[in-house]
Amino acid sequence: MLILTRRTGEAIRIGDKIRIVVVQAESGKIRIGIEGPRELPILREELYTLIREGNQQANAPADITLEHWLVEGKEENP
Amino acid sequence: MSVFASRFGAVEIPTDRIWRCRQPLAGFEELQRFALIQAAGQSPFLWLQSLELQPIAFLLAEPRHFGLQYPAPADAEVSGLNGAACQFLVMVTIPENKDEPLRPHHLGPLCFDPGTGEFVQWVLEPGRVSVSSGFRPETGDLGLAPSLLPRLVRWPDSSASPNSRSASIAA
């Protein structure tokens, strides 16, 4: 992992399209600003992890059955 | 193209019904091409079948079956797709215990743009979307946008020859 030291107002660049600025740093919290292409997905890591875990749970095994939740089944057995 | 899917067996996927994932799905970054499969008798669900890894298939449903509603996203939020034209579908997790409810992946609805044949997962902060009110399937049609229908793959394919249909079911 590359580790850099920056002060408030200073920035780093990733490639030529992404710029990360330290906006504020105090009390153990850092506010950062990110400039980059509007279509670039930027997520807090905990949200990314939540999404990834949800995706993995939604990958249904081939042998799973749906009968319990099908509309047709509900109509036949209300 | 013909693919063999673990769940469906051999399935013929016309090239104009292949969906491209515009931004990698978290946890499945290597997958780009998918088919939306409407399996007979499985309303209100659809399957998002990977065309690159046959065991990978996500169960999808329209958000309204879970009481979920999403605002139209800005185009930039869905990686430049036409947010106003998007059809939203949510991934659904099937619990191992039938007494537990189906769980929609409500923070990451999939946005399908029939105009481009591409989709992305729109990730929302928890405060931007309501919590599911539970699975309450609405009967009738799937409620899908008419523009999406030509891009669905029906299974089994009733237009296929008897031999190929039998092969699909038996596989």
Side-chain angles (χ1 to χ4, degrees), chain A residues 38-39 41 43-44 47-48 50-52 54-55 57-62 64 66 68-72 75, chain B residues 7 23 26-27 29 41-44 56-59 76 79 91 94 98 102 105 107 121 125 135 137 139:
Chain A
R38 294 189 67 195
E39 296 173 15
L43 301 174
R44 292 180 293 112
L47 181 57
Y48 171 83
L50 200 61
I51 294 298
R52 184 188 61 201
N55 288 350
Q57 290 168 7
N59 174 32
I64 201 141
L66 276 178
H68 186 65
W69 290 279
L70 296 177
V71 167
E72 289 83 354
E75 289 172 339
Chain B
R7 176 175 302 277
Q23 291 285 350
E29 287 81 0
Q42 294 195 352
S43 176
I56 305 295
F58 302 100
L59 185 65
S79 301
M91 292 181 179
I94 303 172
K98 289 183 178 178
L102 289 174
H105 193 5
L107 295 179
Q121 186 167 38
E125 291 286 341
F135 181 55
T139 56

mmCIF file of all heavy atoms in Angstrom, chain A residues 38-39 41 43-44 47-48 50-52 54-55 57-62 64 66 68-72 75, chain B residues 7 23 26-27 29 41-44 56-59 76 79 91 94 98 102 105 107 121 125 135 137 139:
data_model
loop_
_atom_site.group_PDB
_atom_site.id
_atom_site.type_symbol
_atom_site.label_atom_id
_atom_site.label_comp_id
_atom_site.label_asym_id
_atom_site.label_seq_id
_atom_site.Cartn_x
_atom_site.Cartn_y
_atom_site.Cartn_z
ATOM 1 N N ARG A 38 -17.751 11.802 -13.879
ATOM 2 C CA ARG A 38 -19.041 11.666 -13.199
ATOM 3 C C ARG A 38 -19.525 10.215 -13.181
ATOM 4 O O ARG A 38 -20.271 9.818 -12.314
ATOM 5 C CB ARG A 38 -20.092 12.547 -13.888
ATOM 6 C CG ARG A 38 -19.818 14.041 -13.757
ATOM 7 C CD ARG A 38 -20.994 14.841 -14.271
ATOM 8 N NE ARG A 38 -22.154 14.663 -13.427
ATOM 9 C CZ ARG A 38 -23.402 14.997 -13.785
ATOM 10 N NH1 ARG A 38 -23.622 15.511 -14.971
ATOM 11 N NH2 ARG A 38 -24.406 14.826 -12.961
ATOM 12 N N GLU A 39 -19.109 9.447 -14.158
ATOM 13 C CA GLU A 39 -19.602 8.072 -14.224
ATOM 14 C C GLU A 39 -18.767 7.106 -13.390
ATOM 15 O O GLU A 39 -19.070 5.921 -13.315
ATOM 16 C CB GLU A 39 -19.603 7.602 -15.686
ATOM 17 C CG GLU A 39 -20.564 8.413 -16.542
ATOM 18 C CD GLU A 39 -20.458 8.079 -18.019
ATOM 19 O OE1 GLU A 39 -19.855 7.040 -18.342
ATOM 20 O OE2 GLU A 39 -20.971 8.855 -18.831
ATOM 21 N N PRO A 41 -17.843 5.124 -10.372
ATOM 22 C CA PRO A 41 -18.490 4.781 -9.105
ATOM 23 C C PRO A 41 -17.547 5.048 -7.936
ATOM 24 O O PRO A 41 -16.410 4.601 -7.939
ATOM 25 C CB PRO A 41 -18.781 3.282 -9.237
ATOM 26 C CG PRO A 41 -18.547 2.927 -10.664
ATOM 27 C CD PRO A 41 -17.579 3.947 -11.192
ATOM 28 N N LEU A 43 -17.690 4.768 -3.766
ATOM 29 C CA LEU A 43 -18.490 4.286 -2.645
ATOM 30 C C LEU A 43 -17.653 4.238 -1.383
ATOM 31 O O LEU A 43 -16.450 3.980 -1.441
ATOM 32 C CB LEU A 43 -19.022 2.870 -2.921
ATOM 33 C CG LEU A 43 -19.902 2.660 -4.142
ATOM 34 C CD1 LEU A 43 -20.202 1.175 -4.306
ATOM 35 C CD2 LEU A 43 -21.207 3.436 -4.009
ATOM 36 N N ARG A 44 -18.299 4.483 -0.259
ATOM 37 C CA ARG A 44 -17.662 4.172 1.010
ATOM 38 C C ARG A 44 -17.428 2.662 1.051
ATOM 39 O O ARG A 44 -18.258 1.891 0.548
ATOM 40 C CB ARG A 44 -18.556 4.593 2.176
ATOM 41 C CG ARG A 44 -18.728 6.107 2.316
ATOM 42 C CD ARG A 44 -19.619 6.467 3.484
ATOM 43 N NE ARG A 44 -20.999 6.038 3.286
ATOM 44 C CZ ARG A 44 -21.602 5.080 3.987
ATOM 45 N NH1 ARG A 44 -20.967 4.461 4.952
ATOM 46 N NH2 ARG A 44 -22.861 4.760 3.753
ATOM 47 N N LEU A 47 -20.197 0.435 2.375
ATOM 48 C CA LEU A 47 -21.349 0.273 1.494
ATOM 49 C C LEU A 47 -21.008 -0.683 0.353
ATOM 50 O O LEU A 47 -21.815 -1.534 -0.030
ATOM 51 C CB LEU A 47 -21.795 1.633 0.947
ATOM 52 C CG LEU A 47 -23.010 1.620 0.027
ATOM 53 C CD1 LEU A 47 -24.218 0.989 0.707
ATOM 54 C CD2 LEU A 47 -23.359 3.044 -0.432
ATOM 55 N N TYR A 48 -19.787 -0.549 -0.179
ATOM 56 C CA TYR A 48 -19.346 -1.489 -1.219
ATOM 57 C C TYR A 48 -19.418 -2.926 -0.696
ATOM 58 O O TYR A 48 -19.893 -3.834 -1.385
ATOM 59 C CB TYR A 48 -17.923 -1.151 -1.660
ATOM 60 C CG TYR A 48 -17.322 -2.204 -2.563
ATOM 61 C CD1 TYR A 48 -17.587 -2.212 -3.931
ATOM 62 C CD2 TYR A 48 -16.515 -3.209 -2.034
ATOM 63 C CE1 TYR A 48 -17.055 -3.196 -4.751
ATOM 64 C CE2 TYR A 48 -15.991 -4.195 -2.849
ATOM 65 C CZ TYR A 48 -16.254 -4.188 -4.202
ATOM 66 O OH TYR A 48 -15.738 -5.172 -5.004
ATOM 67 N N LEU A 50 -21.285 -4.090 1.692
ATOM 68 C CA LEU A 50 -22.692 -4.467 1.839
ATOM 69 C C LEU A 50 -23.277 -4.907 0.489
ATOM 70 O O LEU A 50 -23.991 -5.919 0.401
ATOM 71 C CB LEU A 50 -23.468 -3.255 2.383
ATOM 72 C CG LEU A 50 -24.808 -3.480 3.048
ATOM 73 C CD1 LEU A 50 -24.679 -4.364 4.269
ATOM 74 C CD2 LEU A 50 -25.411 -2.127 3.444
ATOM 75 N N ILE A 51 -22.962 -4.151 -0.546
ATOM 76 C CA ILE A 51 -23.478 -4.472 -1.879
ATOM 77 C C ILE A 51 -22.890 -5.786 -2.385
ATOM 78 O O ILE A 51 -23.587 -6.651 -2.916
ATOM 79 C CB ILE A 51 -23.164 -3.324 -2.864
ATOM 80 C CG1 ILE A 51 -23.946 -2.061 -2.475
ATOM 81 C CG2 ILE A 51 -23.484 -3.728 -4.296
ATOM 82 C CD1 ILE A 51 -25.442 -2.199 -2.523
ATOM 83 N N ARG A 52 -21.589 -5.958 -2.192
ATOM 84 C CA ARG A 52 -20.934 -7.188 -2.660
ATOM 85 C C ARG A 52 -21.510 -8.410 -1.963
ATOM 86 O O ARG A 52 -21.811 -9.427 -2.595
ATOM 87 C CB ARG A 52 -19.433 -7.098 -2.408
ATOM 88 C CG ARG A 52 -18.652 -8.304 -2.967
ATOM 89 C CD ARG A 52 -17.215 -8.265 -2.524
ATOM 90 N NE ARG A 52 -17.128 -8.335 -1.069
ATOM 91 C CZ ARG A 52 -16.089 -7.945 -0.352
ATOM 92 N NH1 ARG A 52 -15.047 -7.425 -0.952
ATOM 93 N NH2 ARG A 52 -16.092 -8.033 0.962
ATOM 94 N N GLY A 54 -24.471 -8.666 -0.609
ATOM 95 C CA GLY A 54 -25.840 -8.871 -1.099
ATOM 96 C C GLY A 54 -25.845 -9.540 -2.458
ATOM 97 O O GLY A 54 -26.683 -10.414 -2.735
ATOM 98 N N ASN A 55 -24.916 -9.144 -3.318
ATOM 99 C CA ASN A 55 -24.824 -9.771 -4.646
ATOM 100 C C ASN A 55 -24.484 -11.255 -4.516
ATOM 101 O O ASN A 55 -25.064 -12.103 -5.206
ATOM 102 C CB ASN A 55 -23.744 -9.078 -5.483
ATOM 103 C CG ASN A 55 -24.160 -7.681 -5.932
ATOM 104 O OD1 ASN A 55 -25.311 -7.290 -5.787
ATOM 105 N ND2 ASN A 55 -23.215 -6.935 -6.465
ATOM 106 N N GLN A 57 -25.009 -13.233 -2.012
ATOM 107 C CA GLN A 57 -26.123 -13.996 -1.439
ATOM 108 C C GLN A 57 -27.233 -14.216 -2.468
ATOM 109 O O GLN A 57 -27.969 -15.191 -2.405
ATOM 110 C CB GLN A 57 -26.691 -13.254 -0.227
ATOM 111 C CG GLN A 57 -25.758 -13.247 0.970
ATOM 112 C CD GLN A 57 -26.195 -12.267 2.051
ATOM 113 O OE1 GLN A 57 -27.261 -11.672 1.969
ATOM 114 N NE2 GLN A 57 -25.357 -12.074 3.038
ATOM 115 N N ALA A 58 -27.346 -13.288 -3.419
ATOM 116 C CA ALA A 58 -28.428 -13.386 -4.411
ATOM 117 C C ALA A 58 -28.086 -14.340 -5.547
ATOM 118 O O ALA A 58 -28.950 -14.649 -6.363
ATOM 119 C CB ALA A 58 -28.740 -12.003 -4.983
ATOM 120 N N ASN A 59 -26.855 -14.796 -5.612
ATOM 121 C CA ASN A 59 -26.496 -15.785 -6.623
ATOM 122 C C ASN A 59 -27.062 -17.130 -6.178
ATOM 123 O O ASN A 59 -26.506 -17.796 -5.314
ATOM 124 C CB ASN A 59 -24.985 -15.860 -6.789
ATOM 125 C CG ASN A 59 -24.568 -16.965 -7.729
ATOM 126 O OD1 ASN A 59 -25.296 -17.293 -8.676
ATOM 127 N ND2 ASN A 59 -23.422 -17.556 -7.464
ATOM 128 N N ALA A 60 -28.195 -17.488 -6.758
ATOM 129 C CA ALA A 60 -28.924 -18.655 -6.276
ATOM 130 C C ALA A 60 -28.342 -19.939 -6.846
ATOM 131 O O ALA A 60 -28.030 -20.010 -8.031
ATOM 132 C CB ALA A 60 -30.391 -18.542 -6.677
ATOM 133 N N PRO A 61 -28.184 -20.971 -6.013
ATOM 134 C CA PRO A 61 -27.716 -22.252 -6.535
ATOM 135 C C PRO A 61 -28.733 -22.850 -7.501
ATOM 136 O O PRO A 61 -29.932 -22.578 -7.419
ATOM 137 C CB PRO A 61 -27.572 -23.116 -5.277
ATOM 138 C CG PRO A 61 -28.444 -22.476 -4.265
ATOM 139 C CD PRO A 61 -28.448 -21.012 -4.580
ATOM 140 N N ALA A 62 -28.230 -23.668 -8.420
ATOM 141 C CA ALA A 62 -29.089 -24.198 -9.484
ATOM 142 C C ALA A 62 -30.199 -25.093 -8.955
ATOM 143 O O ALA A 62 -31.256 -25.209 -9.567
ATOM 144 C CB ALA A 62 -28.231 -24.963 -10.487
ATOM 145 N N ILE A 64 -32.009 -24.760 -6.324
ATOM 146 C CA ILE A 64 -32.974 -24.133 -5.427
ATOM 147 C C ILE A 64 -34.370 -24.138 -6.062
ATOM 148 O O ILE A 64 -34.513 -24.060 -7.274
ATOM 149 C CB ILE A 64 -32.541 -22.703 -5.074
ATOM 150 C CG1 ILE A 64 -33.228 -22.270 -3.797
ATOM 151 C CG2 ILE A 64 -32.863 -21.740 -6.198
ATOM 152 C CD1 ILE A 64 -32.339 -21.468 -2.905
ATOM 153 N N LEU A 66 -38.381 -22.633 -6.250
ATOM 154 C CA LEU A 66 -39.093 -21.381 -6.046
ATOM 155 C C LEU A 66 -40.558 -21.576 -5.705
ATOM 156 O O LEU A 66 -41.259 -20.612 -5.425
ATOM 157 C CB LEU A 66 -39.027 -20.553 -7.346
ATOM 158 C CG LEU A 66 -37.794 -19.711 -7.588
ATOM 159 C CD1 LEU A 66 -37.907 -19.033 -8.934
ATOM 160 C CD2 LEU A 66 -37.650 -18.681 -6.499
ATOM 161 N N HIS A 68 -42.413 -22.241 -3.379
ATOM 162 C CA HIS A 68 -42.998 -21.657 -2.175
ATOM 163 C C HIS A 68 -43.411 -20.204 -2.376
ATOM 164 O O HIS A 68 -44.291 -19.698 -1.694
ATOM 165 C CB HIS A 68 -41.980 -21.770 -1.033
ATOM 166 C CG HIS A 68 -42.500 -21.343 0.300
ATOM 167 N ND1 HIS A 68 -43.515 -22.014 0.948
ATOM 168 C CD2 HIS A 68 -42.156 -20.306 1.102
ATOM 169 C CE1 HIS A 68 -43.762 -21.413 2.111
ATOM 170 N NE2 HIS A 68 -42.953 -20.368 2.220
ATOM 171 N N TRP A 69 -42.746 -19.514 -3.329
ATOM 172 C CA TRP A 69 -42.994 -18.081 -3.460
ATOM 173 C C TRP A 69 -43.646 -17.691 -4.786
ATOM 174 O O TRP A 69 -43.819 -16.507 -5.049
ATOM 175 C CB TRP A 69 -41.667 -17.321 -3.323
ATOM 176 C CG TRP A 69 -41.134 -17.367 -1.940
ATOM 177 C CD1 TRP A 69 -41.522 -16.590 -0.883
ATOM 178 C CD2 TRP A 69 -40.128 -18.222 -1.427
ATOM 179 N NE1 TRP A 69 -40.817 -16.925 0.239
ATOM 180 C CE2 TRP A 69 -39.951 -17.919 -0.064
ATOM 181 C CE3 TRP A 69 -39.348 -19.229 -1.991
ATOM 182 C CZ2 TRP A 69 -39.039 -18.580 0.741
ATOM 183 C CZ3 TRP A 69 -38.444 -19.887 -1.194
ATOM 184 C CH2 TRP A 69 -38.298 -19.564 0.150
ATOM 185 N N LEU A 70 -43.976 -18.658 -5.598
ATOM 186 C CA LEU A 70 -44.515 -18.312 -6.907
ATOM 187 C C LEU A 70 -45.941 -17.809 -6.798
ATOM 188 O O LEU A 70 -46.721 -18.253 -5.951
ATOM 189 C CB LEU A 70 -44.476 -19.534 -7.831
ATOM 190 C CG LEU A 70 -43.064 -20.042 -8.156
ATOM 191 C CD1 LEU A 70 -43.137 -21.292 -9.016
ATOM 192 C CD2 LEU A 70 -42.248 -18.957 -8.839
ATOM 193 N N VAL A 71 -46.291 -16.864 -7.679
ATOM 194 C CA VAL A 71 -47.644 -16.327 -7.695
ATOM 195 C C VAL A 71 -48.642 -17.436 -7.940
ATOM 196 O O VAL A 71 -49.689 -17.523 -7.305
ATOM 197 C CB VAL A 71 -47.760 -15.245 -8.784
ATOM 198 C CG1 VAL A 71 -49.211 -14.902 -9.038
ATOM 199 C CG2 VAL A 71 -46.991 -14.007 -8.377
ATOM 200 N N GLU A 72 -48.308 -18.339 -8.867
ATOM 201 C CA GLU A 72 -49.243 -19.413 -9.199
ATOM 202 C C GLU A 72 -49.526 -20.270 -7.968
ATOM 203 O O GLU A 72 -50.642 -20.649 -7.689
ATOM 204 C CB GLU A 72 -48.674 -20.289 -10.322
ATOM 205 C CG GLU A 72 -48.656 -19.615 -11.678
ATOM 206 C CD GLU A 72 -47.443 -18.708 -11.875
ATOM 207 O OE1 GLU A 72 -46.671 -18.518 -10.904
ATOM 208 O OE2 GLU A 72 -47.273 -18.173 -12.972
ATOM 209 N N GLU A 75 -51.895 -18.584 -5.578
ATOM 210 C CA GLU A 75 -53.289 -18.580 -6.001
ATOM 211 C C GLU A 75 -53.953 -19.927 -5.727
ATOM 212 O O GLU A 75 -55.111 -20.016 -5.357
ATOM 213 C CB GLU A 75 -53.366 -18.254 -7.502
ATOM 214 C CG GLU A 75 -53.018 -16.794 -7.786
ATOM 215 C CD GLU A 75 -52.899 -16.502 -9.264
ATOM 216 O OE1 GLU A 75 -52.694 -17.457 -10.034
ATOM 217 O OE2 GLU A 75 -53.013 -15.331 -9.631
ATOM 218 N N ARG B 7 -28.883 -24.057 -14.464
ATOM 219 C CA ARG B 7 -30.281 -24.117 -14.051
ATOM 220 C C ARG B 7 -31.213 -24.547 -15.174
ATOM 221 O O ARG B 7 -32.205 -25.246 -14.950
ATOM 222 C CB ARG B 7 -30.714 -22.747 -13.528
ATOM 223 C CG ARG B 7 -32.169 -22.633 -13.150
ATOM 224 C CD ARG B 7 -32.449 -21.290 -12.536
ATOM 225 N NE ARG B 7 -31.627 -21.070 -11.369
ATOM 226 C CZ ARG B 7 -31.913 -21.532 -10.158
ATOM 227 N NH1 ARG B 7 -33.009 -22.231 -9.967
ATOM 228 N NH2 ARG B 7 -31.103 -21.302 -9.151
ATOM 229 N N GLN B 23 -20.879 -1.471 -15.701
ATOM 230 C CA GLN B 23 -19.889 -1.375 -14.630
ATOM 231 C C GLN B 23 -19.856 -2.717 -13.911
ATOM 232 O O GLN B 23 -20.898 -3.313 -13.687
ATOM 233 C CB GLN B 23 -20.261 -0.273 -13.628
ATOM 234 C CG GLN B 23 -20.148 1.141 -14.166
ATOM 235 C CD GLN B 23 -18.708 1.605 -14.263
ATOM 236 O OE1 GLN B 23 -17.805 0.941 -13.766
ATOM 237 N NE2 GLN B 23 -18.495 2.735 -14.917
ATOM 238 N N ALA B 26 -20.207 -5.741 -8.066
ATOM 239 C CA ALA B 26 -19.339 -5.999 -6.913
ATOM 240 C C ALA B 26 -19.381 -7.489 -6.554
ATOM 241 O O ALA B 26 -20.463 -8.058 -6.378
ATOM 242 C CB ALA B 26 -19.790 -5.146 -5.730
ATOM 243 N N GLY B 27 -18.231 -8.088 -6.490
ATOM 244 C CA GLY B 27 -18.150 -9.510 -6.180
ATOM 245 C C GLY B 27 -18.137 -10.390 -7.416
ATOM 246 O O GLY B 27 -17.837 -11.584 -7.330
ATOM 247 N N GLU B 29 -16.773 -9.133 -10.618
ATOM 248 C CA GLU B 29 -16.181 -8.143 -11.519
ATOM 249 C C GLU B 29 -15.804 -8.711 -12.876
ATOM 250 O O GLU B 29 -15.699 -7.965 -13.857
ATOM 251 C CB GLU B 29 -14.951 -7.517 -10.864
ATOM 252 C CG GLU B 29 -15.260 -6.545 -9.727
ATOM 253 C CD GLU B 29 -15.554 -7.218 -8.402
ATOM 254 O OE1 GLU B 29 -15.520 -8.472 -8.351
ATOM 255 O OE2 GLU B 29 -15.808 -6.514 -7.412
ATOM 256 N N GLY B 41 -43.913 -20.309 -15.731
ATOM 257 C CA GLY B 41 -44.452 -20.701 -14.435
ATOM 258 C C GLY B 41 -43.726 -20.109 -13.241
ATOM 259 O O GLY B 41 -44.008 -20.494 -12.109
ATOM 260 N N GLN B 42 -42.802 -19.191 -13.473
ATOM 261 C CA GLN B 42 -42.039 -18.639 -12.350
ATOM 262 C C GLN B 42 -42.315 -17.152 -12.131
ATOM 263 O O GLN B 42 -41.462 -16.431 -11.599
ATOM 264 C CB GLN B 42 -40.548 -18.893 -12.535
ATOM 265 C CG GLN B 42 -40.191 -20.368 -12.465
ATOM 266 C CD GLN B 42 -38.701 -20.616 -12.290
ATOM 267 O OE1 GLN B 42 -37.895 -19.708 -12.361
ATOM 268 N NE2 GLN B 42 -38.349 -21.856 -12.049
ATOM 269 N N SER B 43 -43.482 -16.706 -12.535
ATOM 270 C CA SER B 43 -43.867 -15.325 -12.262
ATOM 271 C C SER B 43 -43.944 -15.124 -10.743
ATOM 272 O O SER B 43 -44.384 -16.018 -10.024
ATOM 273 C CB SER B 43 -45.234 -15.055 -12.885
ATOM 274 O OG SER B 43 -45.674 -13.764 -12.555
ATOM 275 N N PRO B 44 -43.524 -14.001 -10.206
ATOM 276 C CA PRO B 44 -43.086 -12.780 -10.874
ATOM 277 C C PRO B 44 -41.560 -12.651 -10.979
ATOM 278 O O PRO B 44 -41.045 -11.544 -10.952
ATOM 279 C CB PRO B 44 -43.643 -11.710 -9.947
ATOM 280 C CG PRO B 44 -43.436 -12.305 -8.577
ATOM 281 C CD PRO B 44 -43.651 -13.791 -8.742
ATOM 282 N N ILE B 56 -23.576 -19.078 -12.430
ATOM 283 C CA ILE B 56 -23.979 -17.792 -11.863
ATOM 284 C C ILE B 56 -25.308 -17.343 -12.457
ATOM 285 O O ILE B 56 -25.430 -17.119 -13.659
ATOM 286 C CB ILE B 56 -22.921 -16.706 -12.133
ATOM 287 C CG1 ILE B 56 -21.544 -17.143 -11.630
ATOM 288 C CG2 ILE B 56 -23.343 -15.379 -11.498
ATOM 289 C CD1 ILE B 56 -21.442 -17.302 -10.145
ATOM 290 N N ALA B 57 -26.309 -17.226 -11.612
ATOM 291 C CA ALA B 57 -27.624 -16.717 -12.028
ATOM 292 C C ALA B 57 -28.263 -16.038 -10.828
ATOM 293 O O ALA B 57 -28.296 -16.606 -9.731
ATOM 294 C CB ALA B 57 -28.521 -17.847 -12.549
ATOM 295 N N PHE B 58 -28.746 -14.839 -11.056
ATOM 296 C CA PHE B 58 -29.388 -14.072 -9.987
ATOM 297 C C PHE B 58 -30.898 -14.083 -10.194
ATOM 298 O O PHE B 58 -31.392 -13.893 -11.302
ATOM 299 C CB PHE B 58 -28.884 -12.623 -9.992
ATOM 300 C CG PHE B 58 -27.403 -12.490 -9.836
ATOM 301 C CD1 PHE B 58 -26.590 -12.278 -10.934
ATOM 302 C CD2 PHE B 58 -26.809 -12.591 -8.592
ATOM 303 C CE1 PHE B 58 -25.212 -12.160 -10.798
ATOM 304 C CE2 PHE B 58 -25.431 -12.477 -8.443
ATOM 305 C CZ PHE B 58 -24.634 -12.262 -9.547
ATOM 306 N N LEU B 59 -31.589 -14.266 -9.102
ATOM 307 C CA LEU B 59 -33.048 -14.173 -9.149
ATOM 308 C C LEU B 59 -33.432 -12.698 -9.043
ATOM 309 O O LEU B 59 -32.945 -11.988 -8.155
ATOM 310 C CB LEU B 59 -33.648 -14.958 -7.984
ATOM 311 C CG LEU B 59 -35.162 -15.074 -7.945
ATOM 312 C CD1 LEU B 59 -35.680 -15.890 -9.134
ATOM 313 C CD2 LEU B 59 -35.622 -15.720 -6.631
ATOM 314 N N ALA B 76 -25.761 10.191 -14.575
ATOM 315 C CA ALA B 76 -24.421 9.932 -14.044
ATOM 316 C C ALA B 76 -24.445 8.887 -12.941
ATOM 317 O O ALA B 76 -23.462 8.185 -12.717
ATOM 318 C CB ALA B 76 -23.811 11.225 -13.516
ATOM 319 N N SER B 79 -24.072 5.380 -14.459
ATOM 320 C CA SER B 79 -22.937 5.249 -15.388
ATOM 321 C C SER B 79 -23.255 5.718 -16.799
ATOM 322 O O SER B 79 -22.777 5.142 -17.779
ATOM 323 C CB SER B 79 -22.454 3.793 -15.416
ATOM 324 O OG SER B 79 -22.064 3.396 -14.136
ATOM 325 N N MET B 91 -32.302 -7.738 -7.137
ATOM 326 C CA MET B 91 -31.885 -9.108 -6.840
ATOM 327 C C MET B 91 -32.653 -9.598 -5.617
ATOM 328 O O MET B 91 -32.965 -8.813 -4.716
ATOM 329 C CB MET B 91 -30.389 -9.162 -6.542
ATOM 330 C CG MET B 91 -29.496 -8.867 -7.724
ATOM 331 S SD MET B 91 -27.764 -8.995 -7.175
ATOM 332 C CE MET B 91 -26.923 -8.641 -8.713
ATOM 333 N N ILE B 94 -32.980 -15.936 -1.735
ATOM 334 C CA ILE B 94 -33.900 -16.966 -1.247
ATOM 335 C C ILE B 94 -33.349 -17.521 0.057
ATOM 336 O O ILE B 94 -32.218 -18.011 0.093
ATOM 337 C CB ILE B 94 -34.040 -18.100 -2.275
ATOM 338 C CG1 ILE B 94 -34.507 -17.531 -3.620
ATOM 339 C CG2 ILE B 94 -34.996 -19.170 -1.775
ATOM 340 C CD1 ILE B 94 -34.487 -18.547 -4.731
ATOM 341 N N LYS B 98 -37.643 -21.806 4.716
ATOM 342 C CA LYS B 98 -38.832 -21.277 4.049
ATOM 343 C C LYS B 98 -39.675 -20.389 4.957
ATOM 344 O O LYS B 98 -40.556 -19.673 4.486
ATOM 345 C CB LYS B 98 -39.686 -22.417 3.494
ATOM 346 C CG LYS B 98 -39.063 -23.102 2.295
ATOM 347 C CD LYS B 98 -39.975 -24.175 1.742
ATOM 348 C CE LYS B 98 -39.352 -24.805 0.503
ATOM 349 N NZ LYS B 98 -40.203 -25.892 -0.036
ATOM 350 N N LEU B 102 -38.343 -13.717 1.746
ATOM 351 C CA LEU B 102 -37.443 -13.390 0.653
ATOM 352 C C LEU B 102 -36.832 -12.031 0.944
ATOM 353 O O LEU B 102 -37.503 -11.144 1.470
ATOM 354 C CB LEU B 102 -38.210 -13.324 -0.668
ATOM 355 C CG LEU B 102 -38.722 -14.628 -1.267
ATOM 356 C CD1 LEU B 102 -39.570 -14.322 -2.497
ATOM 357 C CD2 LEU B 102 -37.571 -15.542 -1.633
ATOM 358 N N HIS B 105 -32.458 -7.135 -2.541
ATOM 359 C CA HIS B 105 -31.192 -6.401 -2.377
ATOM 360 C C HIS B 105 -31.521 -4.937 -2.680
ATOM 361 O O HIS B 105 -31.153 -4.410 -3.727
ATOM 362 C CB HIS B 105 -30.170 -6.972 -3.344
ATOM 363 C CG HIS B 105 -28.766 -6.553 -3.085
ATOM 364 N ND1 HIS B 105 -28.387 -5.790 -1.998
ATOM 365 C CD2 HIS B 105 -27.619 -6.786 -3.774
ATOM 366 C CE1 HIS B 105 -27.094 -5.583 -2.043
ATOM 367 N NE2 HIS B 105 -26.602 -6.167 -3.106
ATOM 368 N N LEU B 107 -30.633 -1.971 -1.699
ATOM 369 C CA LEU B 107 -29.672 -0.875 -1.865
ATOM 370 C C LEU B 107 -28.953 -0.921 -3.213
ATOM 371 O O LEU B 107 -28.237 0.017 -3.549
ATOM 372 C CB LEU B 107 -28.628 -0.903 -0.745
ATOM 373 C CG LEU B 107 -29.141 -0.654 0.661
ATOM 374 C CD1 LEU B 107 -27.997 -0.728 1.668
ATOM 375 C CD2 LEU B 107 -29.849 0.687 0.758
ATOM 376 N N GLN B 121 -25.621 -1.640 -11.797
ATOM 377 C CA GLN B 121 -26.196 -1.697 -10.450
ATOM 378 C C GLN B 121 -26.099 -0.309 -9.847
ATOM 379 O O GLN B 121 -25.005 0.250 -9.728
ATOM 380 C CB GLN B 121 -25.444 -2.712 -9.592
ATOM 381 C CG GLN B 121 -26.090 -2.926 -8.224
ATOM 382 C CD GLN B 121 -25.536 -4.145 -7.518
ATOM 383 O OE1 GLN B 121 -24.340 -4.432 -7.604
ATOM 384 N NE2 GLN B 121 -26.397 -4.871 -6.828
ATOM 385 N N GLU B 125 -27.301 5.023 -0.983
ATOM 386 C CA GLU B 125 -27.059 5.100 0.453
ATOM 387 C C GLU B 125 -28.333 4.642 1.177
ATOM 388 O O GLU B 125 -29.448 4.869 0.685
ATOM 389 C CB GLU B 125 -26.724 6.531 0.854
ATOM 390 C CG GLU B 125 -25.378 7.027 0.337
ATOM 391 C CD GLU B 125 -24.201 6.424 1.100
ATOM 392 O OE1 GLU B 125 -24.410 5.923 2.213
ATOM 393 O OE2 GLU B 125 -23.086 6.447 0.561
ATOM 394 N N PHE B 135 -42.550 -9.363 0.913
ATOM 395 C CA PHE B 135 -42.865 -9.856 -0.422
ATOM 396 C C PHE B 135 -44.374 -10.017 -0.573
ATOM 397 O O PHE B 135 -44.996 -10.837 0.097
ATOM 398 C CB PHE B 135 -42.164 -11.202 -0.636
ATOM 399 C CG PHE B 135 -42.390 -11.790 -1.992
ATOM 400 C CD1 PHE B 135 -42.096 -11.077 -3.140
ATOM 401 C CD2 PHE B 135 -42.911 -13.073 -2.118
ATOM 402 C CE1 PHE B 135 -42.304 -11.620 -4.395
ATOM 403 C CE2 PHE B 135 -43.111 -13.626 -3.370
ATOM 404 C CZ PHE B 135 -42.816 -12.901 -4.507
ATOM 405 N N PRO B 137 -46.416 -10.440 -3.803
ATOM 406 C CA PRO B 137 -46.449 -10.507 -5.267
ATOM 407 C C PRO B 137 -47.792 -10.090 -5.826
ATOM 408 O O PRO B 137 -48.841 -10.465 -5.295
ATOM 409 C CB PRO B 137 -46.154 -11.983 -5.556
ATOM 410 C CG PRO B 137 -46.569 -12.700 -4.321
ATOM 411 C CD PRO B 137 -46.288 -11.767 -3.188
ATOM 412 N N THR B 139 -50.360 -10.238 -8.875
ATOM 413 C CA THR B 139 -50.648 -11.158 -9.966
ATOM 414 C C THR B 139 -50.763 -10.368 -11.269
ATOM 415 O O THR B 139 -50.713 -9.153 -11.292
ATOM 416 C CB THR B 139 -51.958 -11.917 -9.710
ATOM 417 O OG1 THR B 139 -53.001 -10.959 -9.511
ATOM 418 C CG2 THR B 139 -51.832 -12.786 -8.484
#
